[in-house]
Amino acid sequence: MENNEAINTLNEIKDMMAKSSRFQSISGTSIILIGLYASIVSAGAWLLWGNHDTISWLPACCSDISINSPWRTKMAIFVALLLLLVSFGTVCLFSFFKIKRKQNAFHFDSPMRRCLFNFCVPMVAGGLLCLAMLIQGHYGLTSSFMLIFYGLALINCHHYTTSDIAVLGYGELILGLIDCFLVRHAILFWFLGFGMWHVLFGLYYTLKNKKR
């Protein structure tokens, strides 16, 4: 009995140490909102710049957007950066609310710094690569690389936050790899990856945390 109690105590201490080394304040609502933002942007981009003719075995609504002009390239970069900033702000705001709801003080502590650093390294590398491709007029695989590097960023930081984030990351990574072979349908995979997959994962994450 004493051995079992000692093992249970050690396990509890181990769990507490693991939780203290992770940033646990990500909100499922913020993930859902990011998906809704991306879905709206994808739909708007298709309506404004989409090729609305059926070009393959996929329906016309899944056709690619055309950004083959300097003005459209600048607009695409601006919209992507705006979406990124709004999404990042949403995550920070809802994380702050979640911390306050638990009556904890907000600190930019070590787990949060490690989480942000491991997320930002692949994101910055992928963002610069996509920017270089857009500037040089290589549009075909840009959406693929966005999904792939975003997925890698989520997978890279999941050790420092909730492990469920890796599920979101693997989904983005898989969609990005599939998109590499269907380059004429970038808008579809943008909608599926940044939009619907976020919404579905956010719902799952929210329901899972409510059961705890």
Side-chain angles (χ1 to χ4, degrees), residues 21-41:
S21 65
R22 290 170 177 260
F23 177 63
Q24 299 284 343
S25 298
I26 294 177
S27 168
T29 304
S30 66
I31 298 173
I32 295 172
L33 286 174
I34 290 171
L36 293 176
Y37 299 157
S39 298
I40 293 170
V41 169

Side-chain angles (χ1 to χ4, degrees), residues 45 74 108 121:
K74 291 177 182 178
F108 190 61
V121 169

